[in-house]
Amino acid sequence: MQLRPFTGAYLTDPAVVWRELLNAPEDVHFADDLGLWLISRHEHVHRALADAGTFGNALTLAPIYEMCPEARSVVMRLDVPPTTAAADSPVHARTRRALRATFANTGPRVADQYGPIVHRRVAELVDRIADRRAGVVDLVSEFAALLPLLVVVDILGVPERDVPRIRRWADGQIALIWGQPEPAEQVRLAQALLDFWHYCQALVSQRLREGATGDDFVSRALRHRGGDDAVLSAAEAASLAFNLLVAGHETTAGLLAHALDRALSEPGRWARIGAEPAGVPAFVEEVLRFGPAIDGWLRVTRRPVTIGGVLIPPGARCLVLIGAANRDPAAFADPDRFDPSRSGNRGHLSFGYGPHFCIGAALARLEARVALVRLAEAMPQLRLAARHRSRFKPNVAFRAHRTLPVVQPRSSQRA
Ligand code: HEM
């Protein structure tokens, strides 16, 4: 079969394709257009994510297509040591230990360490939008894509003036790996990736020169390392920063845009978010299940494996379809119905599962909850611009809205 992720049904409404895959008699498919095995059932996606010994991560950040030779020669100069998302054990276990020790990843730790940053940044952005006189505001570029980036640069101790270029680099990295850029664009994006990496190396060198005494993530990681490469090398600390700046940004931006789109499209939902904030966590959880910000992720088999009766050879690239697993009727009753009151929707796989489970899940949830409530309270009259239709960026893994234009009736704008 062909997945055709950059055109047609998969781009406009991937759930149609997920349904076809889930309804098909075969459990696992091979997409000839991408050279990828497609794993879609909840049980199998869960198994692939849990079994890191069979389904490896080492190549997850290599482009999914054959890059042109010029771009490849630029990428060859990228000497980022693999850490967490791009590593298998024992490197994964060691670098994940370093990340867990230095990056808050439980609800209480996140609320305590990052809560003040999230509340301050949300308030700033909401005020900026509420003060706008013009009619239409794009909530993707002015809110959803900005908030997670501002939060993550604050956590990392990166100056705010660098936000525009980090945004370009992070967007470019995702397009280079998971998109379909033309050869000239591949070279440009590869070069930008190199610049991004040099920026992260310089950040670590600067912290080392300053003695790494600060409260920011990079200083914490360097203190955790204690000068011992067997714990974490300085290059690995830079690699963690490099990964966090991307992982902490596009993903949560996607979640925010999906949540805002849903909240503003459904009659009465926006008013309820402002009036009943206690219901927001369940709403966010159902948004995560229904339309995950990462709806497919790569694994490469490290040995032969039989899954759903299909033998997959070693070295095979598998697209683990998180979005399809979240719509599997074997795991969720009436899965194509959006229902925040459903019980057990924490069984979704939107933050992955097992050894690579998302380190930023608690932070993403906090950002989404605070952002929705604050915006709905400040602008209860907000509504989607007439004739808005959701359109996504062409990408195999990240499901990101291009725009989300909203209007605020004049009567509700601040005097
Ligand atoms: C809605 C927002 C988010 C989504 C949907 C998401 C999704 C995911 C998924 C599916 C994985 C598993 C990848 C795998 O199995 O190989 C993952 C891992 C990861 N995420 Fe997130 N993520 C989000 C937010 C964040 C944030 C805010 C951060 C940090 C600031 C973050 C940092 C990471 C890191 C470092 C890993 C790698 C963990 C490891 O390999 O041990 N993510 N994320």
Side-chain angles (χ1 to χ4, degrees):
M1 60 121 10
Q2 306 235 315
L3 190 66
R4 295 197 188 92
F6 307 115
T7 52
Y10 201 77
L11 185 59
T12 47
D13 186 3
V16 172
V17 180
W18 298 333
R19 177 69 35 236
E20 281 169 16
L21 292 173
L22 289 167
N23 286 343
E26 313 80 44
D27 278 357
V28 174
H29 300 81
F30 186 73
D32 320 293
D33 54 334
L34 302 169
L36 294 175
W37 294 86
L38 304 180
I39 299 179
S40 52
R41 300 202 193 286
H42 189 279
E43 176 198 345
H44 299 149
V45 170
H46 189 274
R47 183 175 145 200
L49 293 173
D51 182 1
T54 305
F55 292 91
N57 269 52
L59 292 172
T60 45
L61 299 182
I64 57 148
Y65 54 90
E66 186 72 21
M67 262 191 302
C68 70
E70 293 80 4
R72 219 174 24 243
S73 74
V74 178
V75 168
M76 297 289 277
R77 285 160 40 212
L78 205 60
D79 55 348
V80 187
T83 53
T84 60
D88 291 323
S89 268
V91 174
H92 176 257
R94 181 171 56 74
T95 52
R96 177 144 178 132
R97 231 181 349 265
L99 194 54
R100 284 169 59 103
T102 49
F103 188 89
N105 67 325
T106 62
R109 273 179 70 199
V110 166
D112 181 47
Q113 287 184 34
Y114 306 149
I117 296 175
V118 171
H119 283 276
R120 178 170 52 80
R121 288 302 194 177
V122 168
E124 272 172 29
L125 292 180
V126 170
D127 283 353
R128 210 185 289 170
I129 295 172
D131 284 340
R132 283 272 299 269
R133 302 267 174 237
V136 180
V137 174
D138 175 18
L139 282 187
V140 168
S141 60
E142 299 197 34
F143 191 71
L146 215 45
L147 174 68
L149 187 52
L150 290 168
V151 169
V152 84
V153 299
D154 285 352
I155 291 173
L156 265 74
V158 167
E160 189 173 335
R161 65 171 179 277
D162 293 341
V163 160
R165 56 181 166 152
I166 293 173
R167 190 169 172 176
R168 275 197 307 279
W169 285 331
D171 289 352
Q173 181 176 357
I174 287 170
L176 180 67
I177 295 175
W178 298 99
Q180 196 190 31
E182 295 294 323
E185 182 67 354
Q186 291 172 23
V187 177
R188 197 187 66 73
L189 294 175
Q191 186 58 52
L193 199 57
L194 210 54
D195 295 343
F196 188 14
W197 169 234
H198 293 153
Y199 175 89
C200 294
Q201 288 176 306
L203 182 67
V204 166
S205 303
Q206 187 190 340
R207 290 292 182 283
L208 280 169
R209 279 196 304 277
E210 293 163 357
T213 53
D215 204 26
D216 59 281
F217 168 78
V218 176
S219 299
R220 281 170 187 250
L222 292 173
R223 287 202 297 278
H224 171 85
R225 158 184 143 75
D228 184 353
D229 283 355
V231 175
L232 186 77
S233 69
E236 285 171 339
S239 163
L240 288 177
F242 184 64
N243 288 332
L244 285 174
L245 283 170
V246 179
H249 153 211
E250 280 282 347
T251 51
T252 313
L255 166 61
L256 284 173
H258 290 299
L260 288 163
D261 192 2
R262 169 64 57 173
L264 289 160
S265 312
E266 227 180 272
R269 173 74 64 193
W270 190 241
R272 275 206 302 289
I273 285 180
E276 297 164 23
V280 172
F283 171 74
V284 169
E285 231 40 50
E286 182 67 346
V287 170
L288 280 161
R289 182 193 72 84
F290 199 79
I294 290 185
D295 56 24
W297 203 245
L298 200 76
R299 286 290 192 269
V300 178
T301 49
R302 304 173 77 186
R303 49 185 174 231
V305 57
T306 301
I307 195 154
V310 176
L311 176 67
I312 304 181
R317 299 184 324 148
C318 304
L319 187 63
V320 178
L321 287 169
I322 291 170
N326 287 355
R327 300 289 193 101
D328 187 344
F332 302 96
D334 201 359
D336 293 327
R337 190 161 58 88
F338 182 87
D339 177 11
S341 69
R342 70 172 60 242
S343 58
N345 68 352
R346 284 264 178 158
H348 69 68
L349 299 173
S350 301
F351 289 119
Y353 182 81
H356 290 275
F357 182 79
C358 177
I359 211 86
L363 174 61
R365 286 182 169 121
L366 179 75
E367 287 183 53
R369 293 168 188 173
V370 174
L372 284 169
V373 172
R374 181 90 191 211
L375 198 60
E377 281 173 353
M379 280 171 279
Q381 307 297 328
L382 208 64
R383 52 182 164 72
L384 286 174
R387 289 191 292 280
H388 162 69
R389 292 280 169 278
S390 302
R391 283 174 56 239
F392 303 106
K393 294 184 192 167
N395 200 276
V396 181
F398 289 77
R399 181 76 43 195
H401 281 70
R402 284 182 182 276
T403 59
L404 198 58
V406 291
V407 285
Q408 232 196 128
R410 284 210 170 275
S411 57
S412 71
Q413 287 176 9
R414 289 181 181 182

